[in-house]
Amino acid sequence: MHFNKLINTIKERRENLKVNQENLAKLSGVGLRTLKQFESGKGNPTLQTIQKIADVLGLEVCLKVKTEITNEDGKNSL
Amino acid sequence: MHFNKLINTIKERRENLKVNQENLAKLSGVGLRTLKQFESGKGNPTLQTIQKIADVLGLEVCLKVKTEITNEDGKNSL
DNA sequence: CACAAAAGTGCATTACACCGCACTTTTGTA
DNA sequence: TACAAAAGTGCGGTGTAATGCACTTTTGTG
């Protein structure tokens, strides 16, 4: 399972805010090990973990209707 | 931790599509017990579990910037 | 109300998320 | 290139998510 989109959003947001993993871990209350694992594309985090991280970054988890058309590569056309 | 917004989105979407928990469980590959637990607001599902369910319902998990203003009750003003 | 379908719960097992610690690798800047 | 900060990884303990099964409760329709 690939969470690349979510991961990149988190990672980019964190970097834009000039926060390193260590500080984000402390601010969010998520273990540094867990955060590292998530950002490096390994784990399968729980919703709670994602929420904690997103919250500190001023993001929120949401569900939107999939309306996008994907091409044969499975990548978005947009 | 309250995932009410996510839960309601899933539940409403499922009901609009006239699918019961049992079929959604089968279609998504998520255990019925897990789905029930999630929809009844108990558990703390993993991202993979949410993705599987959302996928079947034509939804996708995303992160958006929190721009909403909250009042002193911590509830959205909107 | 009566009954059936759907939703919710208790229990037990298995797998794995979370986490700290110590270490290696990568990145970026002088 | 040399060095420090940041990012990534192996190990191992603890807690809990995922799951099936059997049961109870709720919902909705005649």
Side-chain angles (χ1 to χ4, degrees), chain A residues 35-64:
Chain A
L35 179 58
K36 283 173 179 297
Q37 206 128 32
F38 172 58
E39 281 200 10
S40 63
K42 302 296 159 52
N44 172 28
T46 61
L47 183 51
Q48 187 172 74
T49 295
I50 300 167
Q51 293 255 70
K52 283 183 187 170
I53 295 169
D55 202 53
V56 170
L57 296 173
L59 299 172
E60 64 179 338
V61 182
C62 64
L63 290 168
K64 66 176 179 184

Side-chain angles (χ1 to χ4, degrees), chain B residues 5-68:
Chain B
K5 210 164 167 181
L6 278 305
I7 294 172
N8 285 335
T9 303
I10 294 281
K11 196 182 290 192
E12 285 169 16
R13 180 81 175 174
R14 179 176 63 74
E15 287 167 353
N16 287 340
L17 296 174
K18 313 286 188 210
V19 186
N20 60 24
Q21 292 178 336
E22 194 171 343
N23 283 328
L24 178 53
K26 281 177 185 164
L27 290 168
S28 64
V30 168
L32 178 57
R33 192 68 176 73
T34 303
L35 178 59
K36 283 173 178 298
Q37 204 128 30
F38 172 58
E39 280 200 10
S40 63
K42 302 296 158 51
N44 172 29
T46 62
L47 183 51
Q48 187 171 77
T49 295
I50 301 166
Q51 293 256 70
K52 283 183 186 171
I53 295 169
D55 203 53
V56 170
L57 296 174
L59 299 172
E60 64 180 337
V61 181
C62 64
L63 291 168
K64 66 177 180 183
V65 179
K66 279 189 297 187
T67 54
E68 291 156 28

